Amino acid sequence: MTATSDREQIAALAARANDNRVNLDFETEGMTLNMGPQHPATHGTLRIVARLDGEQVISAEPVPGYMHRGYEKLVEVRSYPQINTLVNRIDWLGSFANEVPFILAAEKLMGVEAPPRAQWIRTILFEMSRIANISLFLGDYGLQLGAMTAGFYAFRDREHVLNQIEAATGGRFHPNFDRIGGLKDDLPKGWITDSHRAMDKLLAFCDELDDLLVGNEIFQSRTRGIGVIPRDIALSYGLSGANLRASGVDWDLRRDSCPPGLVYDQADWKVWTHPDGDCFGRTWVRLQETREAALIVKQLLDTIPSGPVMAKVPRIIKVPEGEAYVETENPLGAMGYYIISKGDLVPFRVKIRSASFNNISVVPWVARGAYVPDLISILGSLYFILGDIDR
Amino acid sequence: MTLLLAAFDPPYWVSTLIKVLVISIVVPTTALILGMVFLFKVMSWMQSRLGPQEAGPRGTLQLLADGVKFLQKEDIAPFGADRFIFRTAPLVVLMSTLLLYVALPASAHLVVSDLDVGVFYVLAVSSLSVLGVLMAGWASANKYSLMGGLRAAGQLIAYELPMVLAVLGVVIQAGTLSLNGIVFAQANGSIFGWDAIGNPYILTQFVGFFIFLAAVQAELTQPPFDMPVAESEIVSGYQVEYTGFRFLIFFLAEFATAFVFAGIASVLFLGGWAVPWLDTASDWYYVLGPVVLFAKVMIVSFIIFWVRFTYPRFREDQLQSFAWKILIPLALANIVVTSVLKVVL
């Protein structure tokens, strides 16, 4: 129990007394609720210190850092192929997507470009990891709002995608498949037909979830108009990905500034936005993106060119001196690597820009005045992965 | 055998002893059955999982294994908790459940106490569990528990009223407050002169049935009304500090209450222990009654648990407005229509 002398709290109480919603004659003492680091709604070890008045949140402060693994320092003593294994673990649900911007930045420094076939497969796997990531979000969000079954359906159908990723790369979660100048291997036999089938199942899953969860009235009453992030706030907090698009900003790195090495321009697809900026908007945009990703994969599968999957690169990779920043539209939002190389086997410094860190920075703004159950809706819909926050 | 049972007329102390024994066996058994069948197996199938496989044939003994595990755990009371109240709270909740079983008739004679005001008694003692929940929430000295306890109190009180009003329609139609009387009225009733299946009140009181089930769902704190124990928000609410045996009692009480409420729903709306073509005075009901009631209970429980596994949860204020703005006016309208028709027809 905190003292009421806290300045912020009094200010908030006074502000609410002004709009006649709170009667100050009936003074209540605030309560500090410490959510986490061990709390089911925080996907791991995010800690949120919330000041409550009754069940209303007066202020909420996310405290990250309980899972800091020091990647930016670790990569300074590892060669580029070794780093590739490491960065897989940043956003662990869409691991292949973490490799791609790093490899692209290294390729940019070295001045090599992957052969077309490798670019195609890279894009397909990138989108598959997006589906694996976001389909789990859709189920998990249901779980957080109390609909248990949606979570299990998501786990069941994500398996189709993970099987395809495993068949191609050998790893379900951490493929470590992308290489500077191409890919480790070519696709196995029959993979393309299997992938088509997996994508069909994923599209059916999206329809099912649309029926079961997103169309549900209770779900809508829990998410519509909750946690509204207006356009200018979203931009000023540096949100990215679906969180930004749900606030009505039509911005997608895949379309707007796709780095060389990915072939999104070869498929016909659409960037979805939602005008409301509430929890429902964020969920809906993600649902549409999963569908869109499945369609991108299906189109690209039909047009994979033949040829090698690896360009000519030296056995021992030394990246020439220079600096490069490459950013891609990852499942969680914009993710980039800023590599400074001094021409060694190891990079001099790597700065990782991950989406979740920025995405949760808006929590204090958006959680103010919400109820505790709404706080769960908001946190869930912002969708962060702890590894992506703390790195 | 049925004749033997009918002729069985023991002295008072023997019958009391038998009743105590039966209740103390029936309550955990029903909780085990519901937990096993619905929480483990049906839920797993609905969620495309296998569920327990290893313990016993087809995993049927899993819940026993879990129960034994709970008994082995240390009984911890948190530092700063009000120990006496903390320890009594689960017993209060369980007591409320036991009291409910007293009035549930499994046939005309197979009932612990055939009360003239059975419906009234059931509705009264079912709200006692709030006391235990509130005690647990308050005495745990935990903020999540406190919020859970208060949510539970607000919710259970809000849903007493729709439940009472929903049952009133049945009472008006049957003209009695006795649970056995309601069964007789349904079995001997007729639908516009056609008396082949009696007159189960679900046909006329379907609104009441819906409201009753919604209120039961809230009483049991199950989704979509499970805010008091929401795992993803307040980490199981008032149960969060309980370990081992005391947690097991909460668990038993929850499922036993689900069973007995399903039983009351089947007595009130589905004709209870009676079978349409058999006269209610028949001695066969000593054997048949419990079986029929059990079958109906399983059907009602299936609906309860189906909803539980499907829906997301409401927010606390949405729940209150659902109770006060939708269920209660609906129940009142139902009562008015029932009374008018009762007088007219």
Side-chain angles (χ1 to χ4, degrees):
Chain A
M1 305 277 172
T2 50
T4 38
S5 64
D6 189 287
R7 194 171 291 166
E8 199 182 346
Q9 191 170 341
I10 285 180
L13 277 173
R16 284 194 300 138
N18 278 339
D19 49 274
N20 289 329
R21 281 187 299 163
V22 169
N23 182 3
L24 268 187
D25 293 342
F26 182 66
E27 261 185 271
T28 49
E29 194 183 337
M31 175 164 103
T32 306
L33 189 69
N34 181 30
M35 285 172 67
Q38 310 294 334
H39 187 278
T42 57
H43 305 276
T45 50
L46 180 68
R47 178 174 163 218
I48 291 178
V49 184
R51 296 239 166 78
L52 306 181
D53 175 30
E55 280 223 23
Q56 206 162 24
V57 178
I58 292 173
S59 70
E61 191 71 35
V63 186
Y66 289 89
M67 241 195 84
H68 188 64
R69 295 158 293 175
Y71 277 166
E72 291 178 4
K73 194 68 193 167
L74 284 173
V75 299
E76 288 173 16
V77 291
R78 274 164 176 76
S79 68
Y80 286 84
Q82 286 175 325
I83 294 170
N84 201 18
T85 335
L86 210 57
V87 296
N88 255 312
R89 271 90 179 155
I90 291 179
D91 160 18
W92 49 66
L93 290 179
S95 340
F96 184 80
N98 299 320
E99 304 173 13
V100 174
F102 177 74
I103 292 292
L104 291 180
E107 281 183 355
K108 192 174 170 185
L109 278 175
M110 289 179 71
V112 294
E113 186 164 318
R117 186 174 173 83
Q119 295 189 11
W120 247 263
I121 298 172
R122 206 180 252 173
T123 315
I124 290 171
L125 286 174
F126 194 106
E127 285 308 300
M128 280 190 167
S129 51
R130 180 189 314 282
I131 296 170
N133 189 325
I134 299 184
S135 62
L136 198 59
F137 157 78
L138 294 168
D140 181 66
Y141 194 41
L143 205 60
Q144 291 194 23
L145 295 180
M148 277 177 276
T149 307
F152 288 99
Y153 284 3
F155 275 113
R156 180 194 67 194
D157 286 338
R158 184 182 67 143
E159 211 62 16
H160 300 307
V161 184
L162 288 182
N163 285 343
Q164 289 315 105
I165 293 177
E166 187 184 12
T169 66
R172 270 158 52 87
F173 281 107
H174 302 302
N176 188 21
F177 192 59
D178 212 0
R179 296 285 184 270
I180 295 175
L183 295 169
K184 178 167 168 284
D185 270 321
D186 208 339
L187 293 176
K189 202 175 163 188
W191 192 80
I192 291 177
T193 21
D194 286 353
S195 299
H196 267 299
R197 215 171 296 141
M199 290 305 121
D200 289 338
K201 281 178 182 151
L202 247 297
L203 288 171
F205 162 72
C206 286
D207 293 343
E208 189 179 25
L209 219 65
D210 211 346
D211 270 2
L212 180 71
L213 191 67
V214 181
N216 185 302
E217 285 192 0
I218 301 176
F219 179 84
Q220 298 210 2
S221 70
R222 283 295 307 277
T223 52
R224 275 196 192 273
I226 307 294
V228 178
I229 305 176
R231 187 190 156 91
D232 51 331
I233 295 293
L235 286 170
S236 65
Y237 275 91
L239 300 194
S240 55
N243 295 331
L244 184 63
R245 286 191 285 278
S247 296
V249 184
D250 192 8
W251 183 74
D252 193 321
L253 283 171
R254 289 177 288 174
R255 182 197 60 193
D256 299 336
S257 55
C258 182
L262 295 171
V263 288
Y264 284 107
D265 48 347
Q266 300 294 324
D268 179 28
W269 57 285
K270 181 175 172 357
V271 176
W272 291 90
T273 60
H274 198 278
D276 291 354
D278 53 4
C279 295
F280 181 80
R282 292 191 274 278
T283 316
W284 185 84
V285 167
R286 288 208 177 85
L287 180 67
Q288 297 300 333
E289 274 185 15
T290 316
R291 284 185 173 135
E292 210 61 47
L295 294 177
I296 294 176
V297 170
K298 279 175 83 72
Q299 290 176 39
L300 291 179
L301 282 171
D302 290 335
T303 54
I304 298 183
S306 57
V309 290
M310 194 71 188
K312 289 236 174 296
V313 283
R315 268 234 173 274
I316 295 173
I317 288 169
K318 277 193 177 176
V319 174
E321 201 168 330
E323 300 178 9
Y325 179 65
V326 169
E327 188 170 46
T328 53
E329 184 73 27
N330 273 42
L332 298 166
M335 180 178 199
Y337 293 84
Y338 194 102
I339 302 180
I340 302 176
S341 174
K342 297 278 185 195
D344 290 333
L345 285 169
V346 297
F348 176 72
R349 172 88 171 88
V350 174
K351 162 78 182 117
I352 305 168
R353 191 266 185 219
S354 59
S356 294
F357 187 76
N358 288 57
N359 285 351
I360 62 151
S361 71
V362 79
V363 167
W365 191 90
V366 73
R368 220 164 23 197
Y371 292 104
V372 173
D374 290 343
L375 190 60
I376 307 300
S377 301
I378 292 166
L379 285 176
S381 73
L382 284 173
Y383 192 36
F384 48 85
I385 301 282
L386 247 293
D388 205 43
I389 296 174
D390 286 350
R391 299 190 294 276
Chain B
M1 185 192 153
T2 50
L3 280 175
L4 268 178
L5 276 172
F8 183 59
D9 188 21
Y12 180 72
W13 68 271
V14 175
S15 67
T16 308
L17 198 65
I18 291 174
K19 283 170 180 175
V20 168
L21 271 177
V22 165
I23 286 286
S24 54
I25 291 168
V26 161
V27 172
T29 314
T30 52
L32 277 179
I33 290 172
L34 282 197
M36 221 130 64
V37 172
F38 291 109
L39 185 68
F40 283 169
K41 278 309 191 182
V42 172
M43 181 185 181
S44 302
W45 294 331
M46 281 184 180
Q47 298 176 344
S48 56
R49 297 185 285 128
L50 287 172
Q53 295 287 309
E54 300 298 329
R58 290 175 169 263
T60 40
L61 300 180
Q62 182 62 45
L63 209 52
L64 279 180
D66 284 355
V68 172
K69 183 195 75 180
F70 278 127
L71 292 178
Q72 293 169 341
K73 298 282 179 192
E74 190 185 351
D75 180 25
I76 302 170
F79 188 80
D82 186 331
R83 278 166 183 259
F84 176 71
I85 295 185
F86 181 81
R87 293 198 167 141
T88 347
L91 301 176
V92 174
V93 175
L94 187 65
M95 181 196 71
S96 149
T97 311
L98 290 174
L99 289 178
L100 278 172
Y101 273 86
V102 169
L104 183 69
S107 88
H109 304 286
L110 289 180
V111 53
V112 174
S113 183
D114 190 8
L115 298 166
D116 289 339
V117 286
V119 174
F120 177 73
Y121 167 81
V122 162
L123 294 171
V125 294
S126 72
S127 49
L128 280 180
S129 68
V130 186
L131 202 61
V133 168
L134 204 52
M135 282 162 69
W138 199 273
S140 294
N142 181 313
K143 289 170 188 169
Y144 290 114
S145 290
L146 178 60
M147 284 167 73
L150 290 178
R151 282 181 183 193
Q155 166 175 337
L156 299 184
I157 290 166
Y159 276 82
E160 268 319 296
L161 200 52
M163 185 183 268
V164 172
L165 294 177
V167 173
L168 263 188
V170 171
V171 173
I172 291 170
Q173 211 177 343
T176 171
L177 276 169
S178 155
L179 286 170
N180 258 335
I182 290 172
V183 174
F184 289 135
Q186 291 180 75
N188 302 327
S190 61
I191 308 163
F192 298 117
W194 181 62
D195 58 355
I197 59 163
N199 183 17
Y201 287 154
I202 188 170
L203 298 177
T204 47
Q205 295 292 328
F206 48 90
V207 177
F209 187 62
F210 160 74
I211 296 170
F212 188 80
L213 281 193
V216 164
Q217 207 80 359
E219 290 267 347
L220 298 172
T221 63
Q222 290 190 348
F225 308 117
D226 68 329
M227 294 74 89
V229 290
E231 304 101 298
S232 58
E233 287 165 23
I234 51 172
V235 213
S236 294
Y238 58 87
Q239 301 171 353
V240 70
E241 294 289 1
Y242 282 90
T243 54
F245 183 58
R246 284 170 215 283
F247 180 79
L248 184 66
I249 291 180
F250 272 125
F251 182 86
L252 275 182
E254 184 188 340
F255 282 89
T257 315
F259 188 93
V260 74
F261 268 123
I264 291 163
S266 20
V267 166
L268 292 178
F269 296 98
L270 301 180
W273 44 264
V275 191
W277 60 88
L278 198 59
D279 184 47
T280 42
S282 162
D283 284 342
W284 280 106
Y285 279 119
Y286 281 104
V287 183
L288 208 55
V291 177
V292 171
L293 185 72
F294 183 75
K296 287 176 179 172
V297 163
M298 290 312 254
I299 294 168
V300 176
S301 307
F302 179 75
I303 299 172
I304 291 176
F305 283 90
W306 188 8
V307 171
R308 170 180 175 151
F309 303 142
T310 308
Y311 282 110
R313 76 173 68 86
F314 277 108
R315 213 172 53 213
E316 192 66 28
D317 55 324
Q318 292 169 341
L319 165 117
Q320 296 284 348
S321 57
F322 183 66
W324 292 99
K325 290 181 186 164
I326 299 176
L327 289 186
I328 291 178
L330 206 60
L332 287 173
N334 183 41
I335 290 171
V336 171
V337 172
T338 310
S339 326
V340 169
L341 288 181
K342 171 92 178 173
V343 174
V344 170
L345 293 178

